Amino acid sequence: MFPAEEYADRRARLAEELDLLAVDLAILTHETDLFYFSGTCQAAYFFLHRSGRVWLAARRGTLRARFETSLPVEEFRDPAGLRAAILRYAPSSPRRVGFAFDRTRHEEAVYLRTLF
């Protein structure tokens, strides 16, 4: 694990990039990205809002994720639960959503787009 400041700095740089690209919300899913920005490799969705607000959403394993990261971790059971978790942190539906397409499967990006 790295110091909390290191993760915060990484997220701040990503938020700056989102602002430059006019992307409202970044969604990352790959374990490497999750660890780089949050400190956990638990299967989850990593969300970073353009405002800098950041959180994780996981279908299971939230106890482990909460132990490994200082970020808020939302648990969900189905797509409606995931959408509700997203709207708790980003109340207005994002217009532009960014994905790491070198690491996010196309089917997963399509699925996530349906939530908005």
Side-chain angles (χ1 to χ4, degrees):
M1 289 268 250
F2 295 95
E5 299 81 25
E6 177 68 24
Y7 292 111
D9 185 52
R10 293 171 183 176
R11 292 189 300 264
R13 288 193 314 262
L14 179 58
E16 288 174 9
E17 289 295 319
L18 295 180
D19 194 44
L20 289 173
L21 298 170
V23 172
D24 298 317
L25 183 68
I27 304 174
L28 304 175
T29 59
H30 194 270
E31 302 88 27
T32 305
D33 294 329
L34 290 168
F35 182 75
Y36 186 80
F37 289 106
S38 73
T40 185
C41 293
Q42 179 62 32
Y45 295 103
F46 171 90
F47 296 94
L48 180 84
H49 192 265
R50 187 172 168 180
S51 67
R53 182 176 268 181
V54 62
W55 70 98
L56 296 172
R59 195 178 298 266
R60 59 189 174 279
T62 55
L63 184 61
R64 175 182 161 196
R66 287 182 180 120
F67 178 75
E68 293 177 341
T69 185
S70 62
L71 300 179
V73 180
E74 293 284 325
E75 187 171 1
F76 69 95
R77 288 185 163 53
D78 54 28
L82 179 56
R83 185 173 186 344
I86 293 168
L87 292 178
R88 272 193 289 282
Y89 288 88
S92 60
S93 192
R95 297 181 55 118
R96 292 187 72 183
V97 178
F99 300 97
F101 281 115
D102 61 329
R103 302 203 183 258
T104 304
R105 293 184 345 264
H106 176 74
E107 300 84 17
E108 193 166 24
V110 169
Y111 161 72
L112 290 166
R113 279 188 36 205
T114 65
L115 298 176
F116 304 104

